[in-house]
Amino acid sequence: MQFRSLLRIAAPLALAAALTSPAFATDSKTMEASGPAAKAGVYVDDAAITAKVKAALLSEKDISALDVKVSTKEGVVTLSGKVDKPEAGVRALQVASAVEGVKSVQSELQVGTN
């Protein structure tokens, strides 16, 4: 009988301890998550930014979006691959930088035909 009573008390305490552990801690001033929870949020945000940039590039007729690769790390977008003309590379940078959440854009684009 006492074991069950102890279990009823221990389980909620263990849950409370897990939820307040450093892995789920927040900075009280900024209310931003830290630890693994924050990193997961960054990865999700980066994946969303990458998808938005790819979609925006697909809508541009002068850019072969299939030849331009997009990667994002902590809001910084990197474009790589090939474009046909220098103007297409400039336009790709403009399109990417206009996407919400993009902090900056780096170009590793090469001009040339496939």
Side-chain angles (χ1 to χ4, degrees), residues 15-113:
L15 179 60
L19 292 176
T20 59
S21 72
F24 297 99
T26 59
D27 182 327
S28 61
K29 292 180 184 175
T30 62
M31 293 303 291
E32 292 181 10
S34 61
K39 288 182 182 179
V42 170
Y43 296 135
V44 170
D45 291 345
D46 286 345
I49 290 170
T50 297
K52 289 178 189 177
V53 170
K54 287 182 179 184
L57 290 174
L58 281 170
S59 68
E60 293 291 319
K61 63 180 180 175
D62 294 333
I63 301 170
S64 176
L66 297 177
D67 295 330
V68 176
K69 294 166 188 61
V70 180
S71 63
T72 308
K73 183 173 183 182
E74 297 179 5
V76 177
V77 173
T78 302
L79 302 179
S80 60
K82 291 192 175 190
V83 291
D84 294 336
K85 301 179 271 185
E87 297 82 13
V90 171
R91 182 66 186 140
L93 292 171
Q94 291 170 337
V95 168
S97 61
V99 171
E100 183 181 349
V102 173
K103 294 179 182 174
S104 66
V105 181
Q106 298 176 345
S107 176
E108 295 178 3
L109 293 169
Q110 298 177 354
V111 178
T113 57

